[in-house]
Amino acid sequence: MWKQIISSYFTFTKKERTGTIVLLVLILLCTVLPFLYPFFITTEPADGAAFKKEIESLKIKQPDSTNRFTKSNFDENNYQNYYQPAEKNYRNKSFKGELFYFDPNTATAAVWQRLGVREKTIATIQNYLSKGGHFYKPEDIGKIWGLHPDETERLVPYIQIAQKENNHPQKNYETKTFDKPKYTTSLVDVNSADTTAFIALPGIGSKLAQRIITFRDKLGGFYKVEQVGEAFGLADSVFQKIKARLVLNNASVKQININTA
């Protein structure tokens, strides 16, 4: 029996033996092939000198003759060399104008021209003042569009701003004292109150108010306030909340003949 089991698992046909041998050969080739690769394919060593030359050529910045904003003496450590403003944007540092004390809130266009301010900037200042603008301190002129910081620094020491007159008369406001209204809680007579009076109490709705009145009519009237708390559906917490507002002005009750009732 054991021989049959062993022979059934370890006995191979000719095709199975051939396939097994081929599979083993392929596995062996795949294992050895990486070690044989350098013998069949040779790689040329990389020329590092050529690569270094290319890097050095990239570091050399050649000025572009077509770019009017590039300087010929380029400094790679100074990033401002990437941009050079056009000649028309340069302003002459020597200011043409007089220096005298003035009030920017009342100065006319002629005064600004004497100070050496450009026409466009004067138009901006006049437009600002015409729309209700006002200079409260000398440094405020630095907020005007078109007035450069060096111009502001030049004009600020000569600015004298007059105090703005208050043309509005001062109003005397009377202080009124308001008395806080005092609310008095209304009391409810349990024997004469209707459903509206009971509904005004906290926690009492229309159905509960009707139950209290029905219970009162069946009793013939309440002889003490505590009887209201015995009405069906009235929670004791609600009764304790409204108890202080319940009074009994008329304690007479309707008597019932127990023989005929």
Side-chain angles (χ1 to χ4, degrees):
M1 178 180 178
W2 288 103
K3 291 181 179 180
Q4 293 178 356
I5 295 174
I6 293 171
S7 61
S8 61
Y9 281 98
F10 294 97
T11 302
F12 301 98
T13 61
K14 184 177 181 181
K15 290 183 179 181
E16 291 175 344
R17 289 196 297 271
T18 304
T20 303
I21 293 171
V22 172
L23 183 61
L24 292 174
V25 172
L26 291 175
I27 293 173
L28 183 61
L29 288 175
C30 292
T31 305
V32 179
L33 187 60
F35 299 98
L36 300 177
Y37 180 78
F39 295 100
F40 295 99
I41 299 176
T42 57
T43 57
E44 296 181 358
D47 188 6
F51 179 72
K52 290 181 179 180
K53 289 181 180 180
E54 293 181 0
I55 296 299
E56 292 297 332
S57 63
L58 292 176
K59 290 183 178 180
I60 299 175
K61 304 291 190 304
Q62 296 295 335
D64 188 1
S65 59
T66 60
N67 188 357
R68 61 176 179 175
F69 301 114
T70 305
K71 290 183 179 180
S72 58
N73 52 347
F74 180 81
D75 184 6
E76 63 180 0
N77 295 323
N78 187 3
Y79 294 98
Q80 294 180 354
N81 293 331
Y82 282 105
Y83 174 77
Q84 179 181 358
E87 293 295 330
K88 64 180 181 180
N89 292 331
Y90 281 109
R91 294 184 299 105
N92 189 6
K93 295 297 182 180
S94 59
F95 297 101
K96 295 180 180 179
E98 303 177 18
L99 288 176
F100 52 88
Y101 293 101
F102 68 99
D103 188 348
N105 293 312
T106 58
T108 61
V111 173
W112 289 106
Q113 288 178 355
R114 286 180 57 193
L115 292 169
V117 181
R118 293 177 301 279
E119 293 183 359
K120 290 184 178 180
T121 307
I122 295 174
T124 304
I125 296 173
Q126 296 296 325
N127 187 26
Y128 170 73
L129 295 174
S130 64
K131 291 183 178 180
H134 188 80
F135 298 103
Y136 295 94
K137 54 185 179 179
E139 291 77 10
D140 288 345
I141 66 169
K143 301 178 182 179
I144 296 298
W145 177 261
L147 195 65
H148 298 279
D150 48 359
E151 293 178 313
T152 303
E153 185 178 357
R154 171 176 168 266
L155 297 176
V156 163
Y158 295 91
I159 294 177
Q160 292 180 346
I161 299 177
Q163 296 295 330
K164 191 174 182 180
E165 296 181 359
N166 187 9
N167 298 324
H168 302 284
Q170 186 176 2
K171 295 182 179 179
N172 296 324
Y173 296 95
E174 297 180 358
T175 57
K176 295 182 179 180
T177 58
F178 296 92
D179 296 330
K180 187 177 180 180
K182 297 180 180 179
Y183 298 96
T184 57
T185 57
S186 59
L187 302 178
V188 177
D189 189 352
V190 294
N191 274 337
S192 61
D194 56 2
T195 56
T196 304
F198 280 110
I199 291 173
L201 298 173
I204 304 297
S206 58
K207 291 184 178 181
L208 194 55
Q210 186 61 44
R211 288 177 184 175
I212 295 173
I213 293 178
T214 303
F215 180 58
R216 181 185 65 187
D217 294 340
K218 288 182 179 180
L219 292 177
F222 296 118
Y223 67 90
K224 62 179 180 178
V225 173
E226 286 75 10
Q227 284 184 292
V228 178
E230 299 176 2
F232 177 75
L234 181 61
D236 183 66
S237 59
V238 177
F239 174 71
Q240 295 299 330
K241 188 183 298 183
I242 66 174
K243 183 178 179 180
R245 296 179 58 180
L246 301 178
V247 293
L248 184 61
N249 295 327
N250 185 9
S252 62
V253 296
K254 180 182 179 181
Q255 296 181 351
I256 302 174
N257 189 350
I258 60 174
N259 290 321
T260 60

